[in-house]
Amino acid sequence: MPRILIVGGGYAGFYTAWKLEKHLRKGEADVTIVDPLPYMTYQPFLPEVAAGSIEARHSVVALRRHLDKTSIVAAKVTGINHANKVATITPIAGEPYEMEYDQIVVTAGAVSRTFPIPGIADNAIGLKTIEEAVAIRDRLMSNFDKASTLPPGPERDRLLTVVVVGGGFAGIEVFAELRSLASSLVERYPQITFEDTHFHLVEAMGRIMPEVSLKTSEWVLRNLAKRGAAVHLDTQVTGAVDGNIELSTGETIPSDLIIWTAGVMANPTVVRGGDLPVEERGRIRTRADLRVGTEDEIVEGAWAAGDVSAVPDLSGGGVGGYCVPNAQHAVRQAKLLAKNLVAVLRGEVPKEYFHKNLGAVAGLGLWVGVFQSGKFALTGPLAWLAHRGYHGLAMPSWERKWRVIWGWWNNFWLGRDLVNLETVQNPRYVFEEFAARPRPPQPAVTPPAEPRGATKADAAKADAAR
Ligand SMILES: Cc1cc2nc3c(=O)[nH]c(=O)nc-3n(C[C@H](O)[C@H](O)[C@H](O)COP(=O)(O)OP(=O)(O)OC[C@H]3O[C@@H](n4cnc5c(N)ncnc54)[C@H](O)[C@@H]3O)c2cc1C
């Protein structure tokens, strides 16, 4: 039986496995998915998770619940030796080992791309994982708690200042969502006013959200300005040492919450740790039929999709002729990849990937959104409803759709959930404080030596005297 190894169980990996389960006949191939995480993350929901509009667990999809016929391995792939069709598997516990395969599907996604700016690696947080989204929310809420106990001054200002770096979709969405969360929080903290909170977004280019028209992006800028959020265009972050954000304009913004969303790069562990061909921007060179290779040269038995790959965009869109890294492509590529892989196993001809961009939709906090498809644009509450409608339905599996949509319904009637569980990072703090501990051993008391030749009666007298 051919062995199919899928590297990464995110969008593209999960959908590939899901669809392979559907297309493969019983006993036709053996599928294994390797991912250090037990779930696929629905990343477009991360800004709403950070803002508390979606429960963190609801925005991920458990691999073991939805992949019945696929073997799931909790590990990283740290090497691919395709010449010998062997991958190095580094499990989350235990020693690395080698796994042989016949077909490999590389869907290891992308990671935050940073620059060597002093302080960023130590002080900023990215927004690619559910853990980061949860930590961002907890930090903002804890900072409100701390600030509410402090007198006005620099420390209080620092706690109530949020800086987002990067004005792409992810950056603008999380920035606007957090602004919306902070405005809700202000209503619950009599000690903190709206004017006490400071929101700054830093973007190196002269505009935000390149996925929408200039006019739509300007609407977003005006909307954010009205909501008391400052956007610094044509500005770069030059330092973030000790949480002091230094800008190329000479301004310094002290902040306790710095979120870095200025770009992504193909997963370097998988790309550099293997012998598959890589293009100039560090992605796996992939053909339009999703096999690894070029138009003229196919790397047999290797496939790639999603953010880790450079797939030609036959619709004429994309950047530099390749599909842009987004979920729209990752999902559709994965579905076709599964079909093509089965076709190749059966000796049939695979099809080429063609997808015309559907447009873009973003949520910018409660009841504010933008939607753009070609020249058609919507802004405000209708676009926000379109955002929720699209993503609510795009969430994989009815089980997950139901949880997310039900959560929104509950929030609509009950309000935003303002629970902060930051202490989960130190769960033993109460137990440790009150836990009974064994008494420390007492120092042994050595009785003085008895005088030589003393009788029992003398010893009793000596004891009494003591
Ligand atoms: C905040 C945010 C908002 C977004 N909003 C949108 C949106 O509205 N619309 C849209 O179309 N796109 C959006 N995107 C982009 C979209 O989420 C990504 O393009 C998509 O997730 C890419 O899918 P993927 O499968 O390539 O990678 P991922 O979904 O990132 O999956 C990669 C998987 O590989 C695993 N992995 C990593 N290293 C290894 C290894 N060494 N071995 C094995 N497994 C490994 C990871 O754990 C992960 O599960 C957004 C992204 C972010 C961050």
Side-chain angles (χ1 to χ4, degrees):
M1 219 197 303
R3 294 152 301 179
I4 303 172
L5 169 63
I6 303 177
V7 183
Y11 256 101
F14 172 76
Y15 270 95
T16 303
W18 214 22
K19 295 299 161 186
L20 279 174
E21 289 194 356
K22 195 172 147 206
H23 301 314
L24 284 169
R25 292 187 206 113
K26 203 166 181 235
E28 198 176 4
D30 183 54
V31 185
T32 300
I33 199 164
V34 179
D35 196 307
L37 299 171
Y39 47 75
M40 166 260 189
T41 306
Y42 193 91
Q43 292 175 22
F45 281 153
L46 295 181
E48 282 200 66
V49 170
S53 297
I54 300 179
E55 172 56 39
R57 282 188 180 85
H58 296 172
S59 60
V60 299
V61 182
L63 300 180
R64 286 177 197 275
R65 169 141 188 190
H66 293 281
L67 299 176
D68 301 328
K69 302 177 202 155
T70 306
S71 307
I72 294 159
V73 179
K76 271 186 181 179
V77 170
T78 47
I80 299 172
N81 177 351
H82 192 65
N84 295 316
K85 295 204 168 166
V86 172
T88 308
I89 311 291
T90 304
I92 57 172
E95 295 299 313
Y97 60 92
E98 312 256 277
M99 184 186 279
E100 291 181 2
Y101 61 82
D102 298 295
Q103 304 279 334
I104 192 164
V105 179
V106 186
T107 48
V111 298
S112 296
R113 180 179 52 122
T114 50
F115 307 104
I117 300 169
I120 284 293
D122 303 320
N123 295 303
I125 184 164
L127 186 65
K128 281 292 288 172
T129 65
I130 194 72
E131 295 78 10
E132 288 168 331
V134 171
I136 288 170
R137 170 174 150 76
D138 287 345
R139 173 68 67 90
L140 182 67
M141 298 189 69
S142 296
N143 284 356
F144 261 72
D145 283 329
K146 289 179 194 160
S148 70
T149 66
L150 289 175
E155 178 56 10
R156 192 171 186 270
D157 281 349
R158 193 180 71 85
L159 290 169
L160 295 175
T161 300
V162 175
V163 176
V164 175
V165 189
F169 246 64
I172 292 291
E173 280 192 300
V174 73
F175 185 60
E177 288 285 356
L178 290 180
R179 176 64 271 183
S180 176
L181 168 62
S183 301
S184 313
L185 287 175
V186 162
E187 290 168 22
R188 305 279 162 188
Y189 287 81
Q191 308 86 343
I192 298 172
T193 64
F194 181 85
E195 289 69 32
D196 292 338
T197 60
H198 312 287
F199 278 75
H200 297 271
L201 184 132
V202 187
E203 167 55 52
M205 300 211 306
R207 60 162 296 181
I208 56 164
M209 301 175 105
E211 300 85 346
V212 300
S213 70
L214 185 61
K215 196 171 159 212
T216 310
S217 75
E218 283 168 355
W219 182 89
V220 175
L221 287 177
R222 285 195 300 278
N223 178 275
L224 288 169
K226 262 193 247 160
R227 293 158 65 188
V231 176
H232 305 254
L233 295 178
D234 291 316
T235 307
Q236 286 161 14
V237 171
T238 54
V241 177
D242 297 333
N244 289 312
I245 286 280
E246 284 163 27
L247 303 183
S248 50
T249 52
E251 217 177 321
T252 300
I253 308 168
S255 168
D256 194 50
L257 182 50
I258 304 161
I259 304 164
W260 182 272
T261 65
V264 293
M265 61 179 179
N267 189 317
T269 314
V270 171
V271 172
R272 291 188 205 139
D275 57 359
L276 294 173
V278 176
E279 47 87 83
E280 311 75 53
R281 294 186 60 188
R283 295 169 295 184
I284 293 181
R285 200 176 279 285
T286 311
R287 293 157 45 88
D289 62 12
L290 304 168
R291 281 185 279 188
V292 173
T294 58
E295 218 174 300
D296 310 320
E297 206 179 330
I298 302 172
V299 178
E300 294 292 348
W303 304 77
D307 290 3
V308 78
S309 64
V311 178
D313 189 339
L314 301 184
S315 77
V319 177
Y322 294 103
C323 295
V324 292
N326 69 22
Q328 241 186 78
H329 283 304
V331 170
R332 286 168 181 80
Q333 287 170 359
K335 288 180 181 173
L336 180 67
L337 195 161
K339 276 192 189 157
N340 279 353
L341 206 163
V342 174
V344 166
L345 289 182
R346 291 178 188 163
E348 295 162 14
V349 180
K351 291 198 176 113
E352 293 197 325
Y353 175 73
F354 180 93
H355 171 65
K356 209 164 167 0
N357 187 15
L358 295 175
V361 63
L364 304 173
L366 288 184
W367 300 104
V368 189
V370 290
F371 167 73
Q372 179 99 40
S373 181
K375 287 193 176 153
F376 177 73
L378 263 182
T379 52
L382 271 184
W384 179 78
L385 286 172
H387 159 79
R388 285 213 160 171
Y390 174 80
H391 284 296
L393 293 176
M395 182 75 180
S397 85
W398 281 104
E399 179 255 334
R400 246 39 205 169
K401 287 189 213 321
W402 180 256
R403 288 184 202 269
V404 170
I405 296 169
W406 188 243
W408 282 335
W409 178 250
N410 287 340
N411 281 1
F412 180 75
W413 295 106
L414 307 173
R416 197 195 292 262
D417 193 341
L418 293 182
V419 173
N420 164 22
L421 290 183
E422 196 183 34
T423 42
V424 85
Q425 287 169 30
N426 179 19
R428 298 182 62 253
Y429 75 105
V430 177
F431 185 81
E432 253 188 320
E433 186 179 345
F434 298 106
R437 292 181 165 81
R439 280 178 174 221
Q442 302 296 314
V445 183
T446 326
E450 300 296 343
R452 239 188 227 181
T455 61
K456 272 189 184 169
D458 294 335
K461 263 191 219 161
D463 273 347
R466 263 179 241 145

mmCIF file with all atom_site columns, all heavy atoms in Angstrom, residues 412-423:
data_model
loop_
_atom_site.group_PDB
_atom_site.id
_atom_site.type_symbol
_atom_site.label_atom_id
_atom_site.label_alt_id
_atom_site.label_comp_id
_atom_site.label_asym_id
_atom_site.label_entity_id
_atom_site.label_seq_id
_atom_site.pdbx_PDB_ins_code
_atom_site.Cartn_x
_atom_site.Cartn_y
_atom_site.Cartn_z
_atom_site.occupancy
_atom_site.B_iso_or_equiv
_atom_site.pdbx_formal_charge
_atom_site.auth_seq_id
_atom_site.auth_comp_id
_atom_site.auth_asym_id
_atom_site.auth_atom_id
_atom_site.pdbx_PDB_model_num
ATOM 1   N N   . PHE A 1 412 ? -24.327 37.927 21.399 1.00 0.00 ? 412 PHE A N   1
ATOM 2   C CA  . PHE A 1 412 ? -25.281 38.945 20.948 1.00 0.00 ? 412 PHE A CA  1
ATOM 3   C C   . PHE A 1 412 ? -26.260 39.276 22.080 1.00 0.00 ? 412 PHE A C   1
ATOM 4   O O   . PHE A 1 412 ? -26.578 40.421 22.342 1.00 0.00 ? 412 PHE A O   1
ATOM 5   C CB  . PHE A 1 412 ? -26.029 38.434 19.707 1.00 0.00 ? 412 PHE A CB  1
ATOM 6   C CG  . PHE A 1 412 ? -27.033 39.409 19.173 1.00 0.00 ? 412 PHE A CG  1
ATOM 7   C CD1 . PHE A 1 412 ? -26.623 40.531 18.470 1.00 0.00 ? 412 PHE A CD1 1
ATOM 8   C CD2 . PHE A 1 412 ? -28.396 39.222 19.385 1.00 0.00 ? 412 PHE A CD2 1
ATOM 9   C CE1 . PHE A 1 412 ? -27.539 41.444 17.984 1.00 0.00 ? 412 PHE A CE1 1
ATOM 10  C CE2 . PHE A 1 412 ? -29.329 40.129 18.908 1.00 0.00 ? 412 PHE A CE2 1
ATOM 11  C CZ  . PHE A 1 412 ? -28.898 41.248 18.199 1.00 0.00 ? 412 PHE A CZ  1
ATOM 12  N N   . TRP A 1 413 ? -26.712 38.239 22.786 1.00 0.00 ? 413 TRP A N   1
ATOM 13  C CA  . TRP A 1 413 ? -27.691 38.447 23.862 1.00 0.00 ? 413 TRP A CA  1
ATOM 14  C C   . TRP A 1 413 ? -27.036 38.713 25.211 1.00 0.00 ? 413 TRP A C   1
ATOM 15  O O   . TRP A 1 413 ? -27.569 39.461 26.026 1.00 0.00 ? 413 TRP A O   1
ATOM 16  C CB  . TRP A 1 413 ? -28.622 37.218 23.985 1.00 0.00 ? 413 TRP A CB  1
ATOM 17  C CG  . TRP A 1 413 ? -29.442 37.065 22.754 1.00 0.00 ? 413 TRP A CG  1
ATOM 18  C CD1 . TRP A 1 413 ? -29.282 36.130 21.778 1.00 0.00 ? 413 TRP A CD1 1
ATOM 19  C CD2 . TRP A 1 413 ? -30.520 37.911 22.323 1.00 0.00 ? 413 TRP A CD2 1
ATOM 20  N NE1 . TRP A 1 413 ? -30.186 36.327 20.771 1.00 0.00 ? 413 TRP A NE1 1
ATOM 21  C CE2 . TRP A 1 413 ? -30.974 37.411 21.071 1.00 0.00 ? 413 TRP A CE2 1
ATOM 22  C CE3 . TRP A 1 413 ? -31.153 39.033 22.847 1.00 0.00 ? 413 TRP A CE3 1
ATOM 23  C CZ2 . TRP A 1 413 ? -32.015 37.988 20.360 1.00 0.00 ? 413 TRP A CZ2 1
ATOM 24  C CZ3 . TRP A 1 413 ? -32.205 39.608 22.140 1.00 0.00 ? 413 TRP A CZ3 1
ATOM 25  C CH2 . TRP A 1 413 ? -32.623 39.094 20.914 1.00 0.00 ? 413 TRP A CH2 1
ATOM 26  N N   . LEU A 1 414 ? -25.915 38.092 25.460 1.00 0.00 ? 414 LEU A N   1
ATOM 27  C CA  . LEU A 1 414 ? -25.313 38.171 26.803 1.00 0.00 ? 414 LEU A CA  1
ATOM 28  C C   . LEU A 1 414 ? -24.161 39.155 26.896 1.00 0.00 ? 414 LEU A C   1
ATOM 29  O O   . LEU A 1 414 ? -23.652 39.420 27.981 1.00 0.00 ? 414 LEU A O   1
ATOM 30  C CB  . LEU A 1 414 ? -24.800 36.778 27.228 1.00 0.00 ? 414 LEU A CB  1
ATOM 31  C CG  . LEU A 1 414 ? -25.830 35.647 27.147 1.00 0.00 ? 414 LEU A CG  1
ATOM 32  C CD1 . LEU A 1 414 ? -25.161 34.308 27.413 1.00 0.00 ? 414 LEU A CD1 1
ATOM 33  C CD2 . LEU A 1 414 ? -26.952 35.882 28.150 1.00 0.00 ? 414 LEU A CD2 1
ATOM 34  N N   . GLY A 1 415 ? -23.698 39.646 25.736 1.00 0.00 ? 415 GLY A N   1
ATOM 35  C CA  . GLY A 1 415 ? -22.563 40.582 25.744 1.00 0.00 ? 415 GLY A CA  1
ATOM 36  C C   . GLY A 1 415 ? -21.248 39.836 25.599 1.00 0.00 ? 415 GLY A C   1
ATOM 37  O O   . GLY A 1 415 ? -21.182 38.608 25.738 1.00 0.00 ? 415 GLY A O   1
ATOM 38  N N   . ARG A 1 416 ? -20.211 40.610 25.329 1.00 0.00 ? 416 ARG A N   1
ATOM 39  C CA  . ARG A 1 416 ? -18.871 40.044 25.146 1.00 0.00 ? 416 ARG A CA  1
ATOM 40  C C   . ARG A 1 416 ? -18.386 39.386 26.437 1.00 0.00 ? 416 ARG A C   1
ATOM 41  O O   . ARG A 1 416 ? -18.615 39.907 27.525 1.00 0.00 ? 416 ARG A O   1
ATOM 42  C CB  . ARG A 1 416 ? -17.939 41.207 24.806 1.00 0.00 ? 416 ARG A CB  1
ATOM 43  C CG  . ARG A 1 416 ? -16.632 40.822 24.193 1.00 0.00 ? 416 ARG A CG  1
ATOM 44  C CD  . ARG A 1 416 ? -15.694 41.995 24.249 1.00 0.00 ? 416 ARG A CD  1
ATOM 45  N NE  . ARG A 1 416 ? -16.064 43.107 23.400 1.00 0.00 ? 416 ARG A NE  1
ATOM 46  C CZ  . ARG A 1 416 ? -15.563 43.339 22.192 1.00 0.00 ? 416 ARG A CZ  1
ATOM 47  N NH1 . ARG A 1 416 ? -14.666 42.537 21.704 1.00 0.00 ? 416 ARG A NH1 1
ATOM 48  N NH2 . ARG A 1 416 ? -15.939 44.386 21.492 1.00 0.00 ? 416 ARG A NH2 1
ATOM 49  N N   . ASP A 1 417 ? -17.744 38.247 26.294 1.00 0.00 ? 417 ASP A N   1
ATOM 50  C CA  . ASP A 1 417 ? -17.236 37.552 27.474 1.00 0.00 ? 417 ASP A CA  1
ATOM 51  C C   . ASP A 1 417 ? -15.959 38.250 27.948 1.00 0.00 ? 417 ASP A C   1
ATOM 52  O O   . ASP A 1 417 ? -14.969 38.306 27.209 1.00 0.00 ? 417 ASP A O   1
ATOM 53  C CB  . ASP A 1 417 ? -16.946 36.091 27.094 1.00 0.00 ? 417 ASP A CB  1
ATOM 54  C CG  . ASP A 1 417 ? -16.725 35.229 28.313 1.00 0.00 ? 417 ASP A CG  1
ATOM 55  O OD1 . ASP A 1 417 ? -16.438 35.798 29.383 1.00 0.00 ? 417 ASP A OD1 1
ATOM 56  O OD2 . ASP A 1 417 ? -16.834 34.005 28.196 1.00 0.00 ? 417 ASP A OD2 1
ATOM 57  N N   . LEU A 1 418 ? -15.979 38.792 29.169 1.00 0.00 ? 418 LEU A N   1
ATOM 58  C CA  . LEU A 1 418 ? -14.832 39.568 29.642 1.00 0.00 ? 418 LEU A CA  1
ATOM 59  C C   . LEU A 1 418 ? -13.982 38.806 30.669 1.00 0.00 ? 418 LEU A C   1
ATOM 60  O O   . LEU A 1 418 ? -13.285 39.413 31.476 1.00 0.00 ? 418 LEU A O   1
ATOM 61  C CB  . LEU A 1 418 ? -15.308 40.904 30.235 1.00 0.00 ? 418 LEU A CB  1
ATOM 62  C CG  . LEU A 1 418 ? -15.927 41.883 29.230 1.00 0.00 ? 418 LEU A CG  1
ATOM 63  C CD1 . LEU A 1 418 ? -16.318 43.180 29.910 1.00 0.00 ? 418 LEU A CD1 1
ATOM 64  C CD2 . LEU A 1 418 ? -14.990 42.183 28.073 1.00 0.00 ? 418 LEU A CD2 1
ATOM 65  N N   . VAL A 1 419 ? -14.054 37.498 30.635 1.00 0.00 ? 419 VAL A N   1
ATOM 66  C CA  . VAL A 1 419 ? -13.257 36.723 31.592 1.00 0.00 ? 419 VAL A CA  1
ATOM 67  C C   . VAL A 1 419 ? -11.787 36.715 31.163 1.00 0.00 ? 419 VAL A C   1
ATOM 68  O O   . VAL A 1 419 ? -11.478 36.518 30.000 1.00 0.00 ? 419 VAL A O   1
ATOM 69  C CB  . VAL A 1 419 ? -13.781 35.268 31.669 1.00 0.00 ? 419 VAL A CB  1
ATOM 70  C CG1 . VAL A 1 419 ? -12.865 34.419 32.519 1.00 0.00 ? 419 VAL A CG1 1
ATOM 71  C CG2 . VAL A 1 419 ? -15.182 35.255 32.225 1.00 0.00 ? 419 VAL A CG2 1
ATOM 72  N N   . ASN A 1 420 ? -10.915 36.952 32.125 1.00 0.00 ? 420 ASN A N   1
ATOM 73  C CA  . ASN A 1 420 ? -9.475  36.933 31.857 1.00 0.00 ? 420 ASN A CA  1
ATOM 74  C C   . ASN A 1 420 ? -8.841  35.793 32.650 1.00 0.00 ? 420 ASN A C   1
ATOM 75  O O   . ASN A 1 420 ? -8.889  35.790 33.873 1.00 0.00 ? 420 ASN A O   1
ATOM 76  C CB  . ASN A 1 420 ? -8.885  38.291 32.282 1.00 0.00 ? 420 ASN A CB  1
ATOM 77  C CG  . ASN A 1 420 ? -7.378  38.258 32.404 1.00 0.00 ? 420 ASN A CG  1
ATOM 78  O OD1 . ASN A 1 420 ? -6.717  37.408 31.826 1.00 0.00 ? 420 ASN A OD1 1
ATOM 79  N ND2 . ASN A 1 420 ? -6.841  39.198 33.156 1.00 0.00 ? 420 ASN A ND2 1
ATOM 80  N N   . LEU A 1 421 ? -8.261  34.844 31.957 1.00 0.00 ? 421 LEU A N   1
ATOM 81  C CA  . LEU A 1 421 ? -7.660  33.688 32.646 1.00 0.00 ? 421 LEU A CA  1
ATOM 82  C C   . LEU A 1 421 ? -6.137  33.686 32.515 1.00 0.00 ? 421 LEU A C   1
ATOM 83  O O   . LEU A 1 421 ? -5.530  32.637 32.303 1.00 0.00 ? 421 LEU A O   1
ATOM 84  C CB  . LEU A 1 421 ? -8.224  32.384 32.082 1.00 0.00 ? 421 LEU A CB  1
ATOM 85  C CG  . LEU A 1 421 ? -9.683  32.064 32.390 1.00 0.00 ? 421 LEU A CG  1
ATOM 86  C CD1 . LEU A 1 421 ? -10.057 30.705 31.821 1.00 0.00 ? 421 LEU A CD1 1
ATOM 87  C CD2 . LEU A 1 421 ? -9.943  32.067 33.894 1.00 0.00 ? 421 LEU A CD2 1
ATOM 88  N N   . GLU A 1 422 ? -5.512  34.840 32.631 1.00 0.00 ? 422 GLU A N   1
ATOM 89  C CA  . GLU A 1 422 ? -4.057  34.872 32.454 1.00 0.00 ? 422 GLU A CA  1
ATOM 90  C C   . GLU A 1 422 ? -3.344  33.991 33.486 1.00 0.00 ? 422 GLU A C   1
ATOM 91  O O   . GLU A 1 422 ? -2.281  33.436 33.228 1.00 0.00 ? 422 GLU A O   1
ATOM 92  C CB  . GLU A 1 422 ? -3.533  36.309 32.543 1.00 0.00 ? 422 GLU A CB  1
ATOM 93  C CG  . GLU A 1 422 ? -2.125  36.398 31.980 1.00 0.00 ? 422 GLU A CG  1
ATOM 94  C CD  . GLU A 1 422 ? -1.497  37.752 32.079 1.00 0.00 ? 422 GLU A CD  1
ATOM 95  O OE1 . GLU A 1 422 ? -1.759  38.467 33.059 1.00 0.00 ? 422 GLU A OE1 1
ATOM 96  O OE2 . GLU A 1 422 ? -0.723  38.105 31.174 1.00 0.00 ? 422 GLU A OE2 1
ATOM 97  N N   . THR A 1 423 ? -3.964  33.850 34.657 1.00 0.00 ? 423 THR A N   1
ATOM 98  C CA  . THR A 1 423 ? -3.318  33.064 35.717 1.00 0.00 ? 423 THR A CA  1
ATOM 99  C C   . THR A 1 423 ? -3.180  31.587 35.345 1.00 0.00 ? 423 THR A C   1
ATOM 100 O O   . THR A 1 423 ? -2.483  30.840 36.026 1.00 0.00 ? 423 THR A O   1
ATOM 101 C CB  . THR A 1 423 ? -4.128  33.166 37.020 1.00 0.00 ? 423 THR A CB  1
ATOM 102 O OG1 . THR A 1 423 ? -5.495  33.070 36.679 1.00 0.00 ? 423 THR A OG1 1
ATOM 103 C CG2 . THR A 1 423 ? -3.853  34.462 37.747 1.00 0.00 ? 423 THR A CG2 1
#
